[in-house]
Amino acid sequence: MKKLHLSLIAAGLLGASPAAFAEVANLTNSADGANREAGIAAVKQKLQAACTDRKGTPDLASFEVVFEKTSENPNVPKPYYVDGKMQCNLP
């Protein structure tokens, strides 16, 4: 019986720990670039900055491109547009 009480107390303490209350947020953003690689790098940088501003840890493996488009206008300095999303582990 004592082991049952100790295990219930231990489970309660673990459940009350800050790690148990951590949450995952899905962040989205967009960026322009001179080419595909520059656009993707810019949106990754924006997403990482947004996550760290919220005191979170960005999950780089979860990054994915949602939408991408190249402008047909040759006079646009950054013709490549990218939308991306990434998960952010918040405390």
Side-chain angles (χ1 to χ4, degrees):
M1 193 66 162
K2 285 185 181 183
K3 289 185 180 184
L4 176 63
H5 290 277
L6 289 176
S7 63
L8 289 175
I9 291 172
L13 290 175
L14 281 173
S17 70
F21 295 114
E23 85 179 77
V24 175
N26 291 317
L27 303 177
T28 59
N29 210 329
S30 62
D32 296 326
N35 56 28
R36 184 175 195 270
E37 291 78 26
I40 290 174
V43 77
K44 275 186 183 180
Q45 182 181 12
K46 283 184 174 183
L47 290 169
Q48 289 174 4
C51 184
T52 55
D53 286 349
R54 291 171 174 83
K55 297 181 179 29
T57 305
D59 182 5
L60 299 176
S62 69
F63 173 79
E64 76 178 82
V65 174
V66 179
F67 176 78
E68 51 189 303
K69 182 180 179 180
T70 304
S71 175
E72 296 176 6
N73 185 348
N75 298 326
V76 176
K78 293 183 178 180
Y80 203 82
Y81 176 84
V82 180
D83 284 340
K85 71 177 182 177
M86 180 186 295
Q87 289 182 347
C88 178
N89 299 318
L90 299 173

